[in-house]
Amino acid sequence: MSNQPHATCTCLSRLTQARLAPSCGAKTRRCTPCAGPAMLNGRCRMHGGKAKGQTTPAGRERSRAARLVHGLRAAEARQAARERGAARREMAALSALLRELEDLEEGSASP
Ligand SMILES: [Zn+2]
C-alpha cells in the first residue's frame, strides 16, 4: 500500500472525456455520421458495437452459407439449391398423383 493517489487529475470533466472518445461514424438515416461513442470494434451500441457475430460452429456455417452469393464455392451452393428444387418438384408431383389416386378410389367406391 502506498499513500500516493491512484490517478492524477487530468483536469477534464467527464463530459469532455466523453466528447473526446472516438465516435461511431456509421451512416445514419439522415445521412450524417453517427456521433455515438464507439465500442471496441469501432461502432456504437446502435450500429453493431455489441455484436459479436455467430459463436457456435453451426451458427458460423449457417451465416457463411446465407451470405454466399457468388465466388469460388458458389457452384456448390447453386448445385445444392438445384437439387433441393428438383426434390421439391418431385414431392409436389407425387402428392398430386396421390391426391388423384384418392379421388379415383372415392369415385369408384361411391356409385
Ligand atoms: Zn453509431
Side-chain angles (χ1 to χ4, degrees):
M1 291 286 287
S2 70
N3 291 333
Q4 298 299 316
H6 293 290
T8 57
C9 176
T10 56
C11 300
L12 293 175
S13 70
R14 294 263 184 216
L15 186 60
T16 309
Q17 285 177 3
R19 284 183 181 141
L20 289 175
S23 62
C24 168
K27 189 178 132 188
T28 64
R29 283 183 279 180
R30 292 187 305 171
C31 294
T32 56
C34 174
M39 300 182 93
L40 284 179
N41 68 356
R43 292 297 183 197
C44 71
R45 65 189 174 92
M46 301 296 284
H47 291 119
K50 283 184 173 179
K52 291 185 174 175
Q54 302 291 339
T55 53
T56 63
R60 267 190 236 119
E61 178 59 30
R62 195 173 54 241
S63 172
R64 192 190 66 75
R67 290 184 50 90
L68 186 63
V69 178
H70 53 79
L72 289 174
R73 286 168 285 187
E76 276 175 39
R78 286 204 317 261
Q79 181 61 32
R82 238 178 266 130
E83 286 170 7
R84 282 196 306 270
R88 203 174 300 133
R89 280 189 293 278
E90 197 171 329
M91 283 294 292
L94 284 175
S95 61
L97 213 62
L98 199 61
R99 251 181 276 124
E100 204 172 292
L101 192 64
E102 284 172 358
D103 288 347
L104 278 176
E105 284 178 359
E106 280 179 22
S108 67
S110 60

